[in-house]
Amino acid sequence: MRIHLSSVFVDDQDKALRFYTEVLGFVKKHDVPLGEARWLTVVSPEDPDGTELLLEPSGHPAVQPYRTALVEDGIPATSFAVDDVPAEFDRLSGLGVRFTQEPLEMGPVTTAVLDDTCGNLIQIVHSEQ
């Protein structure tokens, strides 16, 4: 068994697609119209057949209180692996990305947390293990 799909709730799918592709560097995999919303997924260009991230509309009534609570408590909605957290922090900061946590080394793990502009905090992480 392996993880096939994960999702992050977004306020605006077009805005999210731009951020997740043009800023974070993912590539669009699926874009299927479903009424007012779309089945919209992105993948890592390094693993185009790997785990997909669904940019899921945040219209369900339970989503806003859930996301608000996570953001207020500084809890990321998901985490992405990178090779070099400080380098990604510098690259993304240069593109105007707002971080809520600068790179932090915790033994063999380094993390940073960014605002995806779509209602979520996202962690980037590198582990030496």
Side-chain angles (χ1 to χ4, degrees):
M1 188 176 299
R2 60 188 169 84
I3 298 170
H4 169 70
L5 178 80
S6 185
S7 64
V8 63
F9 293 107
V10 298
D11 297 332
D12 179 314
Q13 286 185 303
D14 289 324
K15 180 179 177 183
L17 181 61
R18 282 190 302 277
F19 183 83
Y20 280 79
T21 58
E22 296 173 14
V23 177
L24 296 184
F26 291 104
V27 293
K28 180 171 58 173
K29 175 110 182 199
H30 296 288
D31 190 350
V32 180
L34 298 171
E36 293 181 22
R38 296 148 41 201
W39 181 263
L40 181 59
T41 66
V42 295
V43 293
S44 169
E46 298 168 11
D47 191 11
D49 295 320
T51 304
E52 296 177 45
L53 180 67
L54 175 63
L55 303 177
E56 188 162 358
S58 61
H60 189 281
V63 171
Q64 194 56 45
Y66 168 75
R67 286 194 317 165
T68 298
L70 289 180
V71 170
E72 285 177 356
D73 289 344
I75 299 171
T78 194
S79 182
F80 301 139
V82 298
D83 291 332
D84 184 332
V85 172
E88 277 300 296
F89 173 83
D90 290 343
R91 180 184 80 82
L92 294 171
S93 293
L95 294 172
V97 173
R98 184 179 75 82
F99 279 80
T100 61
Q101 177 203 301
E102 294 190 6
L104 177 64
E105 290 184 29
M106 299 170 283
V109 176
T110 304
T111 65
V113 178
L114 62 95
D115 180 337
D116 78 349
T117 73
C118 303
N120 305 289
L121 297 179
I122 304 295
Q123 181 180 65
I124 57 173
V125 63
H126 175 77
S127 176
E128 294 294 331
Q129 299 177 4

